[in-house]
Amino acid sequence: MKKKLSSYIAGAFIINVFAILSVGGICTLMVKDMVTNIARLEKESGNVSTIYRLNNKIQHAVFMVHNSIVDYDETAENEIMATMAKAEKDLLDYMGSEKSGHNLHTQEEFILLEKLHDNISGIKTLLPEIYRNLTLAEPQDENGFKLLEKYAFHARNLTQSINDVHFKVVSGLVKESYNKMFFILLLYLTCSVVGILASCVGYVVLSRHTIKPIINLATATRRISGGDLGIRVATDSETEIGTLYQSFNAMTEKLQEHQRKREDFNRMLEKLVKERTRELLESNESLSRTQSELVRMEKIATLGQIATSVNHEIKTPLNVLYMNLQLLIRKINQCPMEGDSLKQGMLGLTEIINNEIGRINEIIEEFVKYARFPAPKIKESDINKILTDIAEMVTQNAREADISIDLQLDDNLQTCPVDAKMMIQALLNLCMNAIQAMPYGGSLKIESKKLESCTKISIIDTGQGIEAADLDRIFDPFFTKKDGGLGFGLAIVQRIIEDHRGSISCRSEVEKGTEFTIILPTTTKAICQDII
Ligand SMILES: Nc1ncnc2c1ncn2[C@@H]1O[C@H](COP(=O)(O)OP(=O)(O)OP(=O)(O)O)[C@@H](O)[C@H]1O
Ligand SMILES: [Mg+2]
């Protein structure tokens, strides 16, 4: 069950108020008693002075008796009697007031006051007798004086005893007040010590259970604002501070979870964007491939049309030309100009015309062959086997030109979906070009290599090389630098490779050699055009 910090504070407040009220109440009661004691002290001191005054009056009366006797003045009697009457009245008034006060000491005091009253009465009775004796020519009785002295002496003693009773009361009141003041002082000191100790304990408890956890929480909050969401706070407090810590941890947990989700979402977005970009690039490439394929197809179609026209429009008149030339040759031969130099000259010219007609015919046939190139008949074929056959086919030619053949085949090579006949035609073209480029001997390297989902074929020679300016044109139809060359070889090679969804490239250095590289897909879905 959760303990409430507010109930602790309320408890401390109630204890505090209770302590203040208790101590304040006790002190107030004691101060009230002390004030009462002061009033009683005042009254007691008034009583003491009253008793002293009474005694003074008695002693003054006795003193006046003495004086009047010495002066033989019997007229003083009335004045002395009046003084004693006044003293007696004061005493009776005092006794009356003491009786109504119901003080504890009244009993003892009353006995003494009664005795004092008896003394005053005795003096009053004695005085007429003393003054009668004084009027005689020769005073005879001295006992009256002695008795008066005795009364005066007793009166003094009695007043002293009565005041002793009062002094006893005064000292009791003073002692009681002193004790109460001492108790108040003790209470004050105790309360001060207890208060200071309670404040210290309260401060330590408050600091440990409230202030320190709040400081920790403030530090953690600052770290969170700095981006550290992994921070957690711990406390064994079972008060609202504990609840606050739990809420804080739950909040940071949620924040961290949201951050994780956001990061995951960002990563997913990034991945999606990358995928979409890749897809876009791929479709873009595929589009451009399709576009160039379309252009190529259109070119081929146009080429086919041209080839048909050329075949028809040029070959027909060429045949007519050839037939007429044969007729002309026959006629020249039938002419009786044996040994005539004119006849020989004419025959020579017809031979040139015949050769050129044959060459034009050959060009047209090659062109038509190129333009109407058939689609490859794809079949899984062993490329290493094809390359071995090629090497055998060119061995004779190579040997004649003092060329060594280096066949390096990758044993891991897989079969490729190709038209084997067409592939042989293409590779043979490349090997023959290489041999023709090395009229004074050299080396021909035929190499195969397995790539990821593709096969690489290289035909490398150490021949004359190709000038950089010609490299861009070698695959164009009709481009040749050879006497008697038609310039269709590499054009056909490129056509065959591209019809197999492969690619061909050439690197060459004049006087050093040439390297043709072919990349072919090993599956019908593999893409190899961009590898080179
Ligand atoms: N391996 C090579 N080394 C040097 N030059 C080369 C090589 N292969 C091709 N060539 C250059 O490229 C040109 C074009 O070659 P291509 O095979 O298309 O035509 P050709 O060999 O000249 O004639 P043909 O149509 O009879 O093959 C060649 O004339 C030659 O100059
Ligand atoms: Mg050639």
Side-chain angles (χ1 to χ4, degrees), residues 366 429-438 459 461 463-467 470 473-493 506 508 513-516:
E366 276 297 315
N429 250 312
L430 291 176
C431 287
M432 287 313 292
N433 276 349
I435 290 170
Q436 286 162 11
M438 296 183 284
I459 309 293
D461 67 59
Q464 64 203 27
I466 304 168
E467 284 174 27
D470 295 335
R473 302 167 60 207
I474 54 173
F475 293 105
D476 293 347
F478 302 112
F479 178 79
T480 181
K481 285 204 142 182
K482 293 175 194 165
D483 291 338
L486 295 173
F488 273 100
L490 287 181
I492 289 170
V493 172
C506 175
S508 184
T514 306
E515 175 178 349
F516 280 92

Side-chain angles (χ1 to χ4, degrees), residues 7-175:
S7 54
Y8 283 133
I9 293 170
F13 177 72
I14 288 166
I15 290 169
N16 204 23
V17 168
F18 179 74
I20 289 170
L21 285 178
S22 310
V23 172
I26 290 167
C27 290
T28 308
L29 286 176
M30 288 194 167
V31 169
K32 186 180 160 259
D33 282 357
M34 281 162 66
V35 169
T36 312
N37 283 357
I38 288 168
R40 283 181 68 196
L41 275 172
E42 197 182 0
K43 188 173 174 285
E44 289 300 324
S45 59
N47 286 348
V48 167
S49 74
T50 304
I51 296 298
Y52 271 130
R53 270 202 309 276
L54 207 65
N55 180 47
N56 283 346
K57 274 179 187 155
I58 294 167
Q59 298 305 325
H60 182 65
V62 173
F63 180 70
M64 280 173 70
V65 171
H66 276 278
N67 276 353
S68 61
I69 288 171
V70 172
D71 295 341
Y72 288 100
D73 182 11
E74 64 273 18
T75 56
E77 184 186 355
N78 288 337
E79 192 186 340
I80 294 165
M81 277 302 279
T83 303
M84 286 310 293
K86 179 84 174 63
E88 188 175 22
K89 188 184 175 289
D90 285 352
L91 179 65
L92 290 171
D93 286 348
Y94 174 75
M95 283 170 74
S97 75
E98 281 294 279
K99 215 175 209 170
S100 63
H102 299 296
N103 294 323
L104 281 175
H105 58 274
T106 322
Q107 200 58 37
E108 188 188 351
E109 190 188 4
F110 253 72
I111 293 166
L112 292 168
L113 285 170
E114 286 291 348
K115 282 182 183 172
L116 187 62
H117 186 239
D118 289 349
N119 255 29
I120 290 170
S121 301
I123 290 169
K124 274 175 78 184
T125 322
L126 199 62
L127 278 176
E129 203 178 314
I130 288 173
Y131 277 98
R132 208 171 36 251
N133 195 28
L134 193 67
T135 53
L136 295 177
E138 206 167 303
Q140 294 162 355
D141 190 7
E142 286 181 1
N143 286 335
F145 289 108
K146 283 181 186 169
L147 197 57
L148 186 69
E149 284 298 320
K150 198 177 157 193
Y151 278 134
F153 178 73
H154 276 150
R156 197 166 53 241
N157 282 348
L158 282 169
T159 52
Q160 188 59 48
S161 298
I162 291 165
N163 274 343
D164 280 350
V165 171
H166 285 297
F167 283 132
K168 215 162 91 187
V169 172
V170 166
S171 115
L173 287 172
V174 168
K175 200 173 173 188

Side-chain angles (χ1 to χ4, degrees), residues 168-235:
K168 215 162 91 187
V169 172
V170 166
S171 115
L173 287 172
V174 168
K175 200 173 173 188
E176 191 184 322
S177 297
Y178 173 78
N179 283 343
K180 281 183 177 160
M181 277 186 75
F182 183 73
F183 181 77
I184 289 173
L185 184 69
L186 209 66
L187 196 65
Y188 168 75
L189 287 175
T190 310
C191 286
S192 298
V193 171
V194 170
I196 288 167
L197 281 176
S199 298
C200 289
V201 170
Y203 175 75
V204 169
V205 170
L206 200 72
S207 154
R208 197 167 150 214
H209 293 287
T210 310
I211 298 170
K212 210 170 155 216
I214 289 173
I215 289 171
N216 287 347
L217 207 63
T219 312
T221 314
R222 266 199 301 279
R223 283 180 63 181
I224 281 190
S225 66
D228 181 7
L229 293 183
I231 184 131
R232 296 287 180 277
V233 284
T235 179

Side-chain angles (χ1 to χ4, degrees), residues 420-435:
K421 274 189 188 163
M422 280 190 176
M423 206 45 69
I424 288 172
Q425 185 188 351
L427 292 168
L428 204 57
N429 250 312
L430 291 176
C431 287
M432 287 313 292
N433 276 349
I435 290 170

